[in-house]
Amino acid sequence: PVSDTEWDRINRVFHDVYFENIDHAGPNAEAHAAVAEVNKRNLTQSILSMWTHSLLVPTAQRHGLATEMLAVQGSSEDEGAIKAALLRQHLAGLGLEGGAKVVMVGDTFDDAHAAEEVGVGVVFYDGGSHHRDALEATGIPVADTLCHAVDLAEAL
């Protein structure tokens, strides 16, 4: 088990390293294709991330993703904010509190927990830190690619 102190340090180091290297990496190779596919299907999309809002927005803009989104929202609270609360706030800002037609594409168990707590659908993308076997064990659909995630999300 990871203690709260250890988790805080892990979170801080992750964000520091992520920020130091963000300009050297672009979005997932398939990100623009998936965004275009969502638009082609006349669906809407937004970005919600636990990454710091003041860093997320210009990064999404720089990579040409922000203009295709209804909203781009990161965490503006201290590290360790709860994703379900942020998701609830995000949906309210979009006028989607009920979540009946909302599907979250995520890559962590925290994403699934937040979606369940808020009452929206969820699809895992197998591109994050969790092993595919662990993702599949939840019973939640798992996509190999971002375009596959679009297909699975629309099916929900």
Side-chain angles (χ1 to χ4, degrees), residues 8-134:
D8 288 343
R9 177 153 168 67
I10 290 168
N11 200 22
R12 235 184 353 270
V13 169
F14 170 83
H15 283 93
D16 289 347
V17 171
Y18 195 90
F19 178 68
E20 288 172 15
N21 292 286
I22 192 67
D23 288 331
H24 304 292
N28 176 293
E30 195 183 25
H32 289 285
V35 167
E37 188 60 31
V38 169
N39 288 338
K40 180 177 151 187
R41 296 180 192 195
N42 293 316
L43 303 171
T44 59
Q45 56 198 322
S46 62
I47 295 174
L48 175 65
S49 175
M50 295 307 291
W51 195 34
T52 306
H53 183 78
S54 62
L55 301 173
L56 174 68
V57 172
T59 301
Q61 290 170 335
R62 188 169 54 254
H63 292 299
L65 297 170
T67 58
E68 303 297 327
M69 303 295 150
L70 292 177
V72 176
Q73 182 181 352
S75 178
S76 57
E77 300 190 24
D78 292 332
E79 293 163 5
I82 297 170
K83 186 139 198 182
L86 193 61
L87 177 57
R88 190 172 283 109
Q89 177 191 41
H90 185 75
L91 293 175
L94 295 172
L96 298 169
E97 291 90 345
K101 294 187 176 198
V102 174
V103 177
M104 179 180 202
V105 175
D107 62 0
T108 68
F109 299 130
D110 191 38
D111 293 327
H113 173 74
E116 180 181 7
E117 187 173 316
V118 174
V120 301
V122 64
V123 168
F124 279 133
Y125 165 61
D126 182 24
S129 59
H130 298 299
H131 294 284
R132 184 181 185 93
D133 292 346

Side-chain angles (χ1 to χ4, degrees), residues 105 123-127 132 140-150 152:
V105 175
V123 168
F124 279 133
Y125 165 61
D126 182 24
R132 184 181 185 93
I140 293 169
V142 180
D144 296 318
T145 67
L146 291 174
C147 287
H148 185 213
V150 173
L152 292 175

